[in-house]
Amino acid sequence: MKTIHTVADMQGLRRELSGNIGLVPTMGFLHKGHISLAKRARAENDLVIATIFVNPTQFGPNEDLAAYPRDLPRDLSLLENAGVDFVFVPTPDELYPPGFQTWVELDDLPQRLEGAHRPGHFRGVATIVTKLFNLTRPTRAYFGQKDAQQAVVIRRFTRDLNFDIDIVICPTVREPDGLAMSSRNIYLNPKERQAATVLFRALSTAQAAFSDGERDADRLRTMMQGILATEPLARPDYVSLADAETLAELSGQIEGRALASMAVRVGPARLIDNMILN
Ligand code: AMP
């Protein structure tokens, strides 16, 4: 496995590569969720490029950019074991040099859900992912369903900007008790870690009710809020039942698929999770 640090080296390397390329963008501090993406990319492509970059432009001023956990040596050995060929690990200055002023912005999708609570977040995500697409020119790019709105945003701008890239969304990998794996779970103390299972319990309850025929969006949302309210350490930012494509909030009868999602603060962590009700 080869590690690349600069834009010039990444461009130089890419000129030499041929065959199908799978791209796996990450912010590092890797867990089994990330590794599931790398393994899927490994199985489906001739070459796999992973990236590790804590993208400053997708963090708000009061968010956890400085505290975001990092462990590069461990990440590199996990990626090597997953069969990754190249890892791109740029510095912020390398990707955002002085004078940088070009952004990728979407009109409506970022007004919803996470975007409504994290102004500028999806502008940062869309811009960095576009840059990584241009630098690595992959055949396929792999992302997790864990970040449901991110997946919708990336699919949308890939189509809108005519990137000839297959966007592959992989299932959320969970701990045995249901907690979605996340680099941010490291922020939780043992009591908070226990409390954090409430997100999965709320989503599972909505999914079970949906399977039993419940189609009233407001009742499903209230059901999830009720479960979250049983956990004193959980402070919800939002609880949503939305259209899985437009992300518009639903009320009344659900036709077809719906995205149940939430952001919940537990101790110092802000956790997100979701399930598609189908
Ligand atoms: P991050 O490092 O948090 O930016 O995540 C990098 C990629 O891994 C994104 O596409 C995430 O959606 C995906 N990912 C994060 N956590 C999980 C998980 N628990 N299961 C599957 N994919 C995940």
Side-chain angles (χ1 to χ4, degrees):
M1 191 178 75
K2 188 167 184 244
T3 306
I4 300 106
H5 293 280
T6 67
V7 164
D9 286 350
M10 189 62 238
Q11 289 171 326
L13 169 71
R14 182 61 187 90
R15 266 180 244 124
E16 315 277 290
L17 301 180
S18 56
N20 288 336
I21 295 178
L23 172 68
V24 183
T26 82
M27 298 205 300
F29 209 70
L30 304 179
H31 50 67
K32 287 181 188 152
H34 299 111
I35 299 307
S36 74
L37 272 51
K39 288 189 171 157
R40 174 101 180 255
R42 173 70 289 161
E44 295 179 352
N45 300 276
D46 301 316
L47 292 171
V48 179
I49 305 176
T51 69
I52 299 176
F53 182 60
V54 182
N55 176 35
T57 66
Q58 70 188 66
F59 286 78
N62 300 316
E63 294 182 2
D64 58 343
L65 174 60
Y68 199 84
R70 297 162 207 244
D71 188 346
L72 186 59
R74 180 171 172 275
D75 289 349
L76 294 178
S77 98
L78 288 171
L79 291 173
E80 181 150 40
N81 286 335
V84 168
D85 300 290
F86 304 100
V87 189
F88 181 45
V89 192
T91 59
D93 272 357
E94 194 63 35
L95 289 184
Y96 299 106
F100 182 92
Q101 54 182 291
T102 306
W103 300 96
V104 177
E105 278 190 273
L106 293 86
D107 285 338
D108 291 337
L109 290 173
Q111 317 289 339
R112 316 279 182 192
L113 306 174
E114 280 298 282
H117 288 79
R118 303 183 67 187
H121 173 67
F122 287 110
R123 176 173 101 141
V125 169
T127 301
I128 192 64
V129 173
T130 295
K131 286 162 69 66
L132 295 174
F133 282 0
N134 285 327
L135 284 165
T136 62
R137 288 182 275 125
T139 316
R140 302 183 185 86
Y142 296 81
F143 300 91
Q145 176 60 30
K146 161 81 180 4
D147 297 279
Q149 185 173 13
Q150 172 172 281
V152 174
V153 163
I154 290 170
R155 273 192 202 289
R156 184 71 253 171
F157 79 72
T158 296
R159 241 190 275 158
D160 290 349
L161 299 180
N162 308 114
F163 282 114
D164 185 13
I165 299 171
D166 277 348
I167 305 302
V168 183
I169 306 303
C170 305
T172 302
V173 177
R174 297 178 180 281
E175 301 286 357
D177 63 7
L179 177 65
M181 291 199 181
S182 166
S183 308
R184 290 185 166 104
N185 292 347
I186 190 89
Y187 298 147
L188 302 168
N189 71 26
K191 267 195 181 145
E192 293 158 353
R193 168 64 188 78
Q194 173 55 37
T197 59
V198 76
L199 283 82
F200 178 71
R201 285 185 277 126
L203 289 164
S204 302
T205 301
Q207 194 175 54
F210 189 89
S211 293
D212 287 347
E214 177 62 81
R215 289 293 180 281
D216 188 281
D218 305 291
R219 276 209 292 271
L220 288 163
R221 198 181 295 107
T222 305
M223 212 177 273
M224 294 193 284
Q225 284 160 342
I227 307 267
L228 292 177
T230 64
E231 177 46 72
L233 294 180
R235 290 162 291 133
D237 254 9
Y238 65 84
V239 177
S240 163
L241 226 288
D243 182 283
E245 276 83 43
T246 65
L247 306 182
E249 207 55 34
L250 296 172
S251 65
Q253 285 294 109
I254 299 172
E255 319 267 344
R257 290 165 3 118
L259 174 69
S261 70
M262 55 186 61
V264 180
R265 292 178 192 274
V266 181
R270 183 176 178 283
L271 305 175
I272 60 169
D273 201 354
N274 71 88
M275 285 184 194
I276 299 271
L277 309 185
N278 205 348

